[in-house]
Amino acid sequence: DWERPILHGVRLYFGKGRLEAVAADGLRLARYQSAGPVQQPEVEVIVPASVLRDVKSLANWRGLTITFPQPDEDGPESEQGSNGTVAAKRVAFDYPSGRLVARAISGRFPDYEAIIPAGTRANLVKVAREELDRAMDRAAVIAKGENQIVHLEASQEHGTLRVWSHATELGD
């Protein structure tokens, strides 16, 4: 939905000794947390996903510093974000050979925490990335048909992760 640019952004949050990145679209939700710099005040910024792809291709995340530059003369540097954070209007990605400055997407990021009900017990499944990639590729061949769905089924009892899809004409 290109009429709502916030859905094409990644929410970056810096504070409480951590960095959190959240991206969502109509079907998927991804959240990454890492120990990060302590920001006072806490800062959040919604960056276009395309900007982060550019940063990755330019800097490969090595030696990267993220700052929130002052605007020239176009108003205040930030506004009130959610939960008392400061919402930056610009973000700069400084890397060893250059700098990329982007305008943040203004607006309120969807309440992604409401998607997963409180009290839900999460289980952690560790898999070899290469094996999962190969299994997903095989299942995606079948999923290209009518439903385009790949299923993941974890079994705590057997310690397995089953990756499968179904097409009426092909089966599982």
Side-chain angles (χ1 to χ4, degrees):
D1 182 4
W2 290 103
E3 293 179 13
R4 296 180 60 201
I6 203 140
L7 295 179
H8 300 279
V10 178
R11 177 187 179 264
L12 300 177
Y13 165 83
F14 302 88
K16 298 179 183 171
R18 67 184 164 98
L19 158 66
E20 179 180 75
V22 180
D25 64 13
L27 301 172
R28 298 169 294 231
L29 171 69
R31 184 171 105 181
Y32 172 80
Q33 289 183 325
S34 174
V38 176
Q39 288 286 324
Q40 291 298 329
E42 297 170 35
V43 177
E44 70 179 276
V45 62
I46 302 169
V47 180
S50 58
V51 169
L52 293 180
R53 280 191 293 274
D54 291 344
V55 169
K56 183 177 185 253
S57 69
L58 293 169
N60 201 20
W61 306 115
R62 290 189 184 97
L64 183 69
T65 303
I66 302 172
T67 58
F68 306 98
Q70 300 284 331
D72 298 326
E73 297 173 10
D74 58 354
E77 69 179 87
S78 61
E79 55 194 26
Q80 188 67 27
S82 61
N83 300 323
T85 60
V86 172
K89 289 189 174 182
R90 291 194 202 180
V91 61
F93 299 91
D94 296 301
Y95 48 96
S97 60
R99 181 177 217 211
L100 180 86
V101 179
R103 174 177 277 160
I105 298 173
S106 62
R108 190 173 218 70
F109 197 78
D111 185 8
Y112 59 92
E113 291 175 335
I115 294 171
I116 303 169
T120 300
R121 188 171 160 253
N123 292 312
L124 180 64
V125 177
K126 289 187 179 185
V127 296
R129 189 173 120 187
E130 297 80 18
E131 288 181 47
L132 180 60
D133 282 345
R134 286 193 301 272
M136 293 294 287
D137 286 344
R138 288 191 304 270
V141 169
I142 295 173
K144 286 184 181 174
E146 63 205 44
N147 59 14
Q148 299 184 355
I149 296 174
V150 173
H151 301 268
L152 300 175
E153 187 177 296
S155 169
Q156 188 173 13
E157 180 182 334
H158 297 103
T160 60
L161 177 67
R162 180 178 174 222
V163 179
W164 62 281
S165 58
H166 180 82
T168 307
E169 64 277 0
L170 299 174
D172 288 345

